[in-house]
């Protein structure tokens, strides 16, 4: 499931429920793949008033990630 985000830092998110992986695309061009993300975290991210703030408080540093670019 791909969702465009209205954020100053994040441009879009792609979530794979079967593998619980999430790819976050940043306006800077960086892409991070996060592993072990529950569907509830994805849903909370896309419905948060500030996706960037939610990312910094609930995802960044909380889950394993790989930087693609």
């Amino acid at each position: 499931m791909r969702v465009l985000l209205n954020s100053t830092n994040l441009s879009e998110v792609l979530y794979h429920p079967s593998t619980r992986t999430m790819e976050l695309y940043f306006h800077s061009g960086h892409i991070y793949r996060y592993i072990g993300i529950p569907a509830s975290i994805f849903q909370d991210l896309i419905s948060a008033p500030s996706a960037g703030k939610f990312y910094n408080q609930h995802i960044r540093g909380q889950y394993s990630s790989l930087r693609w670019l």
Side-chain angles (χ1 to χ4, degrees):
M1 176 182 299
R2 182 178 300 267
V3 176
L4 298 177
L5 298 170
N6 184 16
S7 170
T8 56
N9 291 322
L10 302 168
S11 61
E12 61 186 285
V13 60
L14 178 62
Y15 184 67
H16 306 275
S18 60
T19 58
R20 293 174 37 137
T21 57
M22 184 171 72
E23 296 164 20
L24 281 172
Y25 295 77
F26 290 77
H27 291 295
S28 65
H30 293 113
I31 303 169
Y32 286 85
R33 174 177 272 184
Y34 285 86
I35 301 160
I37 301 289
S40 60
I41 291 290
F42 168 71
Q43 289 296 327
D44 290 346
L45 173 68
I46 63 173
S47 62
S50 170
K53 186 173 182 178
F54 183 88
Y55 164 75
N56 284 322
Q57 292 178 344
H58 301 284
I59 299 171
R60 185 177 184 188
Q62 305 295 316
Y63 296 93
S64 298
S65 67
L66 300 168
R67 182 176 166 188
W68 286 12
L69 295 173

